[in-house]
Amino acid sequence: TAKLDPTAFRNLDIQAGEDGVWIVTLNRPAKRNALDIATIEELITFFSAAPRAGVRAVVLAGAGDHFCAGLDLIEHHDADRSPADFMHVCLRWHEAFNKMEYGGVPIIAALKGAVVGGGLELASAAHIRVMDDSAYVALPEGQRGLFTGGGATIRVSDLVGKSRMIDMMLTGRVYKAAEAVDLGFAQYLAEGDSYDMALRLARRAAENLPLSNFAICSAVSHMTNMSALDAAYAEAVVAGVVNTQPDARARLAAFADKSAARVRPDE
Ligand code: 1HE
């Protein structure tokens, strides 16, 4: 097991819930939660420890009106980085986002306001994305003289296809929440606050057995990187471990004795 001390974070606000649902909030609203290197390091610290620290699900939110304005452009400007420096910055971003996507702990992103550039890359590393009406997505890299460096070429193109991603980068196109959900940037459009819905979904996911969630939130991503032949093999191995876990016996028994809830369209 790993230890997570919520007071050890500065750019993230970390709240541990009793039900195992932790709230991780990007907490630089005055900078629209732009991702400086210190924030990336805190994301690495949190998401490296979370799978072994009893975290059953995470709501990832942003303080203020915007989820995240992407790369901290001021820090990048001031640092005047060499190519090698920025390559290493990007590798730290990948470390953080890969820990999220492959870590095995469900992450539900509560999106509002700007979800742009690196902010969209961060959101794309979550497992579920919830938008409210205020949310919008864009990849302004082209206009800024930049390119994506936090995995958008992989995850954003996976969500919405490469032609749409290339158009966004070339033209600065902005998609507002309803259309963004239709296109697949997010799975949910919340009626009220995206945070409330994200929390409900996180609590629901946290009711699953941790080993099932581990498989769902790591194996699926790994398998999409494999050939179909190898993915089928890996799926059998993972299912062998997960589907025989002792903790599942009570759930299966409840189905057998008809006390477990049935799958219904309106529940
Ligand atoms: C920032 C950043 C930032 C705001 N880095 N400081 N991302 C972008 O190109 C998006 C840039 N940001 C914006 O377009 C707007 O700021 C927002 C739409 C997000 C918000 O607008 P608004 O009117 O609410 O805020 P603002 O007045 O523009 O900014 C408020 C403050 O936040 C201001 O700081 P202040 O000290 O002057 O008060 C801004 O400088 C600061 N701020 N966004 C640094 N991004 C690994 S490669 C990834 C490549 C990318 O992510 S490129 C996309 C970068």
Side-chain angles (χ1 to χ4, degrees):
T1 59
K3 278 221 159 31
L4 261 176
D5 174 7
T7 64
F9 296 81
R10 299 187 63 83
N11 291 2
L12 301 178
D13 178 81
I14 311 264
Q15 306 284 337
E18 281 160 28
D19 49 4
V21 176
W22 289 50
I23 314 298
V24 175
T25 307
L26 304 169
N27 198 21
R28 297 204 308 147
K31 299 296 175 189
R32 306 308 184 251
N33 302 318
L35 296 171
D36 61 353
I37 195 66
T39 303
I40 295 293
E41 292 299 331
E42 291 193 5
L43 288 169
I44 294 171
T45 301
F46 181 84
F47 285 107
S48 297
R52 292 166 297 120
V55 178
R56 294 186 69 130
V58 171
V59 173
L60 179 65
D65 294 335
H66 300 278
F67 175 70
C68 177
L71 175 70
D72 188 320
L73 296 169
I74 307 293
E75 181 183 68
H76 184 60
H77 177 63
D78 290 347
D80 198 18
R81 292 162 169 144
S82 71
D85 288 341
F86 196 65
M87 175 185 73
H88 286 296
V89 169
C90 292
L91 288 172
R92 297 308 280 163
W93 283 49
H94 292 316
E95 181 75 11
F97 296 175
N98 288 339
K99 286 278 187 264
M100 292 171 60
E101 182 181 351
Y102 295 89
V105 175
I107 303 167
I108 326 296
L111 305 178
K112 63 184 164 179
V115 184
V116 302
L120 179 56
E121 295 181 303
L122 171 64
S124 303
H127 303 99
I128 299 179
R129 284 160 293 284
V130 181
M131 290 184 164
D132 60 32
D133 273 336
S134 69
Y136 61 93
V137 297
L139 292 171
E141 280 82 349
Q143 290 108 289
R144 306 268 185 242
L146 304 173
F147 187 67
T148 59
T153 55
I154 303 136
R155 295 192 185 88
V156 175
S157 65
D158 191 46
L159 288 176
V160 297
K162 71 179 176 185
S163 64
R164 200 173 298 283
M165 182 200 167
I166 289 170
D167 171 44
M168 290 169 77
M169 294 184 73
L170 286 176
T171 67
R173 186 168 186 170
V174 177
Y175 289 108
K176 293 197 247 183
E179 195 179 4
V181 171
D182 283 345
L183 291 173
F185 287 98
Q187 295 100 319
Y188 293 93
L189 184 62
E191 297 231 329
D193 200 333
S194 57
Y195 177 85
D196 297 334
M197 185 173 198
L199 185 58
R200 277 202 305 281
L201 294 168
R203 289 198 169 126
R204 180 138 191 203
E207 290 169 7
N208 299 338
L209 293 178
L211 194 60
S212 297
N213 282 344
F214 177 81
I216 295 163
C217 296
S218 71
V220 177
S221 289
H222 277 292
M223 284 158 190
T224 56
N225 297 333
M226 298 178 194
S227 70
L229 189 70
D230 290 334
Y233 179 77
E235 188 188 74
V237 174
V238 172
V241 174
V242 175
N243 296 10
T244 58
Q245 60 179 318
D247 288 350
R249 290 199 61 80
R251 292 178 184 229
L252 295 170
F255 180 80
D257 71 19
K258 300 200 185 294
S259 63
R262 262 44 190 171
V263 180
R264 307 281 186 227
D266 50 359
E267 279 163 28

